[in-house]
Amino acid sequence: MKSDCLQRFIFDNAAIRGEWVNLQESWQEVLNRRDYPQALRNVLGEMMGAAALLAATVKITGRLVLQVRSEGPVSLMMVECTSKDTLRALAQWDGEIADDASLTDMMGGGTLAITIEQEGAKQPYQGVVSLQGVNLAETLENYFENSEQLATKIWLSANEHNVAGLFLQQLPSEENQREDAQEDWFRISQLASTITDEELLTLESETLLHRLFHEEQVRLFEPTDLRFSCTCSRQRVEETIAMLGQEEADDIIATEGEIEVACEFCNQHYTFDKVDVAKLFNNTVASASDPNTLH
């Protein structure tokens, strides 16, 4: 199976679009950086697949962030997908989580937010809904039904090896109110509902789509390759330390001997000793006093 690929498709005989995604290497990059409990790992994987599917529905230069917050054992799950076809993900939790814990068990009555940040835009777009349904797919379907008024069906699955997802959505059109359009949606969504987790996780896109829709007219577009990537860097950490101020930074050095910062996404650790911190603030002062510096 082709690793880390998103396949878009449409139905020539119905006003419906679809997407299929499979993540292997990028998912392993996430798992290799932190030892997540099994139940949490599976939901985080589903979120990663969902973010890739949702990002493919919007044409932006920027990023889409899918985020779940709660006061339950899992306080945060977050996935970022960019217009450069990169993904990264993280989760924060406290205490033991049973292997068979459900989304409700882990999150309780949390909220799901979809944030779209367009480069150059003054403000991001954000849609927020409460967690509804027994799983992430149902919550997202409710979001599209209530917020976007678009009939949508989503199937997500994840295990320790890979993540997969299937997305169907009625195209926005006045014609979708016609009886035959509703019949098309019912027929195609019912065909897709026969899919199993094993098929979703193990079959190539062409094989899966043929198995589900062999009597329909399905047109595939050029697939998109996806990959894991984190935007953290030592320079960004330096900027964060600079925002603390030299006095607070020096206090940490005096107490701890060094400043250590770990990226929550990729678990990369950045360490700064007394010399590093002194050099950082000397450079900051020099830049601020340089009349040729642009601000």
Side-chain angles (χ1 to χ4, degrees):
M1 179 181 293
K2 184 174 174 57
S3 174
D4 297 83
C5 178
L6 184 135
Q7 177 70 68
R8 295 170 54 245
F9 58 93
I10 61 171
F11 293 85
D12 288 336
N13 59 327
I16 298 171
R17 64 180 172 182
E19 298 161 9
W20 167 93
V21 68
N22 189 283
L23 305 173
Q24 295 180 36
E25 293 180 6
S26 56
W27 178 225
Q28 293 306 308
E29 290 281 0
V30 171
L31 295 183
N32 289 340
R33 283 166 165 78
R34 192 167 281 111
D35 186 17
Y36 291 109
Q38 180 177 319
L40 171 54
R41 179 201 68 199
N42 292 343
V43 177
L44 184 62
E46 291 179 1
M47 276 191 66
M48 201 166 168
L53 293 170
L54 298 183
T57 68
V58 294
K59 295 180 179 179
I60 62 166
T61 301
R63 66 175 190 155
L64 179 143
V65 177
L66 188 61
Q67 183 172 264
V68 174
R69 289 187 176 274
S70 83
E71 296 181 358
V74 179
S75 58
L76 172 69
M77 289 191 293
M78 180 177 175
V79 180
E80 175 192 86
C81 187
T82 74
S83 54
K84 296 181 180 179
D85 303 321
T86 65
L87 290 156
R88 60 178 185 167
L90 70 87
Q92 297 174 349
W93 76 99
D94 184 32
E96 296 291 327
I97 297 176
D99 290 347
D100 60 351
S102 67
L103 180 64
T104 302
D105 294 334
M106 292 186 291
M107 309 297 293
T111 58
L112 179 144
I114 300 174
T115 305
I116 299 173
E117 298 180 1
Q118 170 73 37
E119 287 186 11
K122 293 183 178 179
Q123 290 185 331
Y125 163 83
Q126 186 174 73
V128 181
V129 295
S130 59
L131 288 175
Q132 300 174 349
V134 298
N135 54 40
L136 178 66
E138 285 192 14
T139 296
L140 289 169
E141 289 170 1
N142 290 332
Y143 167 80
F144 279 105
E145 186 72 32
N146 298 323
S147 301
E148 308 293 333
Q149 285 78 54
L150 292 173
T152 305
K153 294 293 292 183
I154 300 173
W155 294 264
L156 300 166
S157 191
N159 59 25
E160 68 273 22
H161 303 297
N162 65 318
V163 171
L166 181 68
F167 174 97
L168 291 179
Q169 187 174 74
Q170 265 193 320
L171 293 170
S173 170
E174 293 182 2
E175 294 183 358
N176 284 336
Q177 303 305 315
R178 292 167 25 199
E179 183 176 349
D180 58 345
Q182 296 304 311
E183 290 176 353
D184 287 340
W185 173 251
F186 179 80
R187 182 184 72 257
I188 289 175
S189 60
Q190 286 298 304
L191 289 172
S193 68
T194 64
I195 193 172
T196 66
D197 285 338
E198 182 179 0
E199 289 174 324
L200 191 57
L201 288 166
T202 61
L203 296 181
E204 294 275 4
S205 59
E206 292 87 348
T207 303
L208 178 65
L209 296 177
H210 177 75
R211 183 174 295 188
L212 294 175
F213 310 119
H214 59 274
E215 294 183 354
E216 306 293 332
Q217 300 173 27
V218 181
R219 189 195 326 169
L220 276 62
F221 294 94
E222 193 69 24
T224 300
D225 292 329
L226 303 171
R227 61 186 175 86
F228 174 89
S229 180
C230 189
T231 57
C232 73
S233 67
R234 189 173 181 85
Q235 180 179 350
R236 290 196 172 192
V237 177
E238 288 176 350
E239 292 170 356
T240 301
I241 295 174
M243 291 174 64
L244 291 176
Q246 186 167 6
E247 183 177 350
E248 185 170 348
D250 287 341
D251 286 344
I252 297 174
I253 290 292
T255 304
E256 305 293 336
E258 62 183 14
I259 298 176
E260 183 175 11
V261 179
C263 174
E264 293 185 315
F265 280 100
C266 69
N267 208 29
Q268 174 71 43
H269 287 248
Y270 299 91
T271 303
F272 297 80
D273 60 18
K274 182 177 181 179
V275 175
D276 294 327
V277 171
K279 181 179 179 181
L280 167 62
F281 283 99
N282 286 338
N283 289 340
T284 302
V285 171
S287 297
S289 61
D290 187 349
N292 295 319
T293 300
L294 297 178
H295 297 282

